[in-house]
Each structure stands twice: as structure tokens, then as C-alpha cells.
């Protein structure tokens, strides 16, 4: 009997050890030089083409903005000016055009958000001179109209430090100081009213200033007299071209009426001045309301506030007409 032994398990053959292969990097200097040269030539050309396209687009934006402004589309014009400045932020001339568009919108009773920040920016970039002074005056008046009295006073004082006789800055400072002071202690109110009196001497035809000064005389007669005495004390320092100071002995109500009459004489816009006097006389139950209204409508027949006031007076005279 033959006994067979089981087959032996054989291990797989061992692989020979992998030999390390040393790789060498060979630089194609000729190709590299051609590539670098191509980039050196192409990059400025590409940038020049890019700038050309940007300038073309910017020029189109500027032309569109100017055309819209000429057509009276101030809101759209301002938008195009802003897009242009995103491309050319250092163009001070266009920044001033944007400010001008915003100011015109405000004058047309179209409030412009951001005008104050634009004016601050323009004042900071425009060099000293008449143009910068005009911008600061516009900024002070804008801040006053938006009841930012602290800022308005500060800007007005900066203007007065450079131009002490500036009537516009004196006007803004006086109005903002008075309205910010109310209600306050007697000394502060006396100083504020004294500023109104002096500013009204410089700008007698300003409607807002005249009405505010006249109302101060009627509402605070005792304080008014103290303020008039304070102003009169500076009379020796007044120039020959300045009006004589208000006589403190004159009743404040009479002075107030004279301020309003003088405002109508000096105002650049007669229609607005006449309507202001008409409203003033009606508020204080003074004669002459109908005469002022008639004169106003002769000058400006379509004056909307005058027409509304005329209709109201007619209803009061004839209640059955309702």
C-alpha cells in the first residue's frame, strides 16, 4: 500500500525589489523665454484694451448724465453721475456736477438722501477758494433745513472764521442757534435773538430770517428789548454801510412789523415775500391781508398758496358758499 503525502504549499515567488528611478526635470528655456516674452507683450496690451473699454463706458455714462440733467431729469442724472464716479472716483469735476444735481433736486422739493455726505466729501476735496466757500455755505444751509442744528452752527462758524462778514453764514448760524435754544434760559435766548437782529441787518430780504426775527420780537418782547440793547451797544463798531441799530425803546411789535415790511422791499422773490407778509398779518390779525393777496395774485396768478388762501378767505366771508 502506497501512502502519498499531501502536496506542499509553495509560497509565491518574491518580486524583485523595485529600483528607484531618478527623474530629471529639463527646462525648455527656449519655450519659457517665448512664453514670458508673450506675457510681457500681451499683458499691457490687454490692460490697455480693458482701460479703453472702461473709459468708453465711463464716457457714455457721463454723456448720458449730462443730457438727462439738461432735460431736467435730475434724479436719473444723479444716478448716472454716481455710476461714472464708481469707475473714476477721483474726478472732482463730476463730483461737483453730482452735488449740483442733488442741490437742484432739493430746490425742486425732491429731497436727496446723501446730499450732506456728498457736500462734506466735496468740501474736503476742493481746494480753498470761492468754490469751496460756496460748497460750505450750501452744506450749512442744508444742515439747517434738515434740523441738524449743531452741525449747521459748526459749519457756519468755520465759514465766519474765514469770512467774518458772510451774510449767508450769519443767517444760518442765527437761525440754527435760535431754534436750537428754544426753550431755554433768558441769557441764551437773549444772545440768540441778538444774532437774529444782526443777521437780519445783513440779509433783510430773506423770508425765513425775517419771519423768525419778527416772531421772536412778538413772542418774547422783554427778551427782545435786552437783545436790542446788546446789539445797540456794538453801534460804534458798525461800518458806515450798515443800518442803524434797532432802538430798544421801540415796542417790539412795531419793530416786527417793520422787519416784515422791509423784507418785502428787499426780497428777490416778491411773490414769496408778499405771501409771507400776508400770512404774518393774518396770524397777528393785522390789516392789509387782502391787499397783499391781491398784489400777490397780480404778480403770480397761479401761486398755489395764494390761491388756497384766497379760497379760504372767501369761505370765511361767505360761509353759505360751502
Amino acid at each position: 500500500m502506497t501512502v502519498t503525502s499531501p502536496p506542499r504549499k509553495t509560497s509565491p515567488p518574491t518580486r524583485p525589489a523595485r529600483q528607484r528611478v531618478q527623474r530629471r526635470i529639463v527646462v525648455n528655456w527656449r519655450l519659457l523665454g517665448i512664453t514670458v516674452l508673450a506675457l510681457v507683450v500681451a499683458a499691457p496690451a490687454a490692460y490697455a484694451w480693458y482701460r479703453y473699454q472702461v473709459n468708453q463706458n465711463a464716457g457714455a455714462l457721463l454723456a448720458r448724465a449730462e443730457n438727462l440733467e439738461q432735460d431736467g431729469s435730475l434724479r436719473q442724472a444723479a444716478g448716472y453721475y454716481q455710476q461714472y464716479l464708481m469707475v473714476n472716483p477721483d474726478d472732482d469735476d463730476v463730483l461737483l456736477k453730482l452735488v449740483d444735481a442733488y442741490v437742484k433736486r432739493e430746490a425742486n422739493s425732491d429731497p436727496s438722501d446723501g446730499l450732506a455726505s456728498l457736500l462734506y466729501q466735496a468740501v474736503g476735496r476742493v481746494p480753498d477758494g470761492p468754490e469751496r466757500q460756496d460748497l460750505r455755505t450750501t452744506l450749512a444751509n442744508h444742515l439747517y433745513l434738515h434740523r441738524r442744528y449743531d452741525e449747521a452752527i459748526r459749519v457756519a462758524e468755520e465759514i465766519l472764521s474765514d469770512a467774518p462778514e458772510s451774510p449767508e453764514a450769519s443767517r444760518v448760524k442765527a437761525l440754527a442757534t435760535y431754534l436750537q435754544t428754544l426753550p431755554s434760559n433768558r441769557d441764551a435766548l437773549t444772545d440768540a435773538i441778538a444774532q437774529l437782529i444782526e443777521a437780519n441787518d445783513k440779509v433783510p430780504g430773506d423770508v425765513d430770517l425775517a419771519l423768525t426775527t419778527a416772531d421772536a420780537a412778538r413772542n418774547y418782547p422783554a427778551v427782545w428789548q435786552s437783545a436790542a440793547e446788546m446789539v445797540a451797544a456794538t453801534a460804534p463798531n458798525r461800518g458806515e454801510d450798515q443800518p442803524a441799530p434797532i432802538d430798544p425803546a421801540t415796542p417790539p411789535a412795531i419793530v416786527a412789523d417793520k422787519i416784515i415790511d422791509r423784507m418785502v422791499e428787499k426780497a428777490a422773490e416778491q411773490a414769496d415775500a408778499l405771501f409771507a407778509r400776508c400770512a404774518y398779518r393774518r396770524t397777528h390779525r393785522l390789516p392789509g391781508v387782502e391787499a397783499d393777496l391781491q398784489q400777490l395774485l397780480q404778480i403770480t396768478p397761479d401761486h398755489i398758496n395764494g390761491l388756497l388762501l384766497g379760497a379760504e378767505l372767501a369761505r370765511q366771508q361767505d360761509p353759505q358758499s360751502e
Side-chain angles (χ1 to χ4, degrees):
M1 182 175 179
T2 305
V3 178
T4 60
S5 59
R8 291 181 180 180
K9 293 181 178 180
T10 59
S11 58
T14 58
R15 296 180 180 178
R18 180 177 295 177
Q19 296 180 352
R20 286 185 177 179
V21 179
Q22 293 183 350
R23 296 182 179 179
R24 294 176 58 192
I25 299 175
V26 179
V27 178
N28 189 333
W29 292 104
R30 183 171 179 274
L31 178 60
L32 179 61
I34 294 173
T35 303
V36 171
L37 181 62
L39 289 174
V40 169
V41 173
Y47 180 74
W49 176 252
Y50 165 75
R51 289 304 307 173
Y52 172 76
Q53 293 293 330
V54 168
N55 290 333
Q56 286 290 100
N57 292 336
L61 290 171
L62 183 58
R64 179 63 174 157
E66 290 173 343
N67 289 334
L68 286 168
E69 186 174 5
Q70 290 177 358
D71 294 339
S73 302
L74 298 174
R75 183 184 291 270
Q76 291 178 296
Y80 279 97
Y81 281 134
Q82 288 173 323
Q83 292 182 52
Y84 173 88
L85 287 170
M86 292 176 67
V87 179
N88 294 308
D90 297 329
D91 194 328
D92 292 345
D93 291 336
V94 175
L95 174 62
L96 294 178
K97 289 183 178 182
L98 175 60
V99 169
D100 187 55
Y102 269 64
V103 170
K104 288 178 181 176
R105 283 178 54 188
E106 189 119 320
N108 293 336
S109 301
D110 182 12
S112 307
D113 294 335
L115 176 55
S117 61
L118 275 176
L119 285 165
Y120 274 121
Q121 184 180 354
V123 167
R125 286 168 53 171
V126 173
D128 286 335
E131 192 170 39
R132 186 169 186 268
Q133 192 79 329
D134 290 342
L135 286 169
R136 289 201 298 177
T137 301
T138 302
L139 173 60
N141 190 60
H142 174 79
L143 294 170
Y144 159 69
L145 290 175
H146 288 264
R147 300 183 180 182
R148 295 164 64 171
Y149 297 138
D150 284 335
E151 293 177 78
I153 293 169
R154 178 179 56 79
V155 175
E157 287 177 342
E158 290 175 358
I159 297 171
L160 291 169
S161 66
D162 296 333
E165 297 303 320
S166 171
E168 296 85 359
S170 298
R171 167 191 173 274
V172 169
K173 183 174 182 289
L175 286 167
T177 300
Y178 175 74
L179 294 175
Q180 184 187 55
T181 300
L182 295 176
S184 185
N185 60 69
R186 182 185 177 97
D187 290 341
L189 190 57
T190 301
D191 181 67
I193 292 177
Q195 290 189 45
L196 285 178
I197 295 171
E198 292 179 332
N200 189 71
D201 286 344
K202 295 179 180 179
V203 198
D206 186 85
V207 173
D208 191 7
L209 180 59
L211 287 175
T212 304
T213 308
D215 285 341
R218 283 186 168 271
N219 294 333
Y220 305 99
V223 181
W224 172 273
Q225 289 182 326
S226 298
E229 291 173 358
M230 182 186 299
V231 174
T234 65
N237 300 325
R238 290 184 166 224
E240 295 181 356
D241 57 337
Q242 291 181 291
I246 295 172
D247 184 358
T250 305
I254 294 177
V255 176
D257 295 348
K258 289 182 177 180
I259 288 173
I260 296 299
D261 291 340
R262 188 175 176 217
M263 175 264 293
V264 173
E265 294 174 4
K266 301 290 185 178
E269 295 292 336
Q270 273 290 298
D272 292 340
L274 282 168
F275 179 77
R277 184 169 68 180
C278 187
Y280 169 83
R281 286 175 168 175
R282 184 165 180 251
T283 299
H284 297 287
R285 299 181 178 181
L286 300 173
V289 175
E290 292 79 5
D292 277 344
L293 182 59
Q294 183 179 3
Q295 187 178 354
L296 164 64
L297 294 177
Q298 287 177 349
I299 296 174
T300 312
D302 57 349
H303 194 285
I304 183 64
N305 289 326
L307 292 171
L308 290 174
L309 180 58
E312 185 177 351
L313 292 175
R315 284 197 302 270
Q316 291 177 354
Q317 293 176 1
D318 185 11
Q320 295 182 353
S321 62
E322 299 181 3

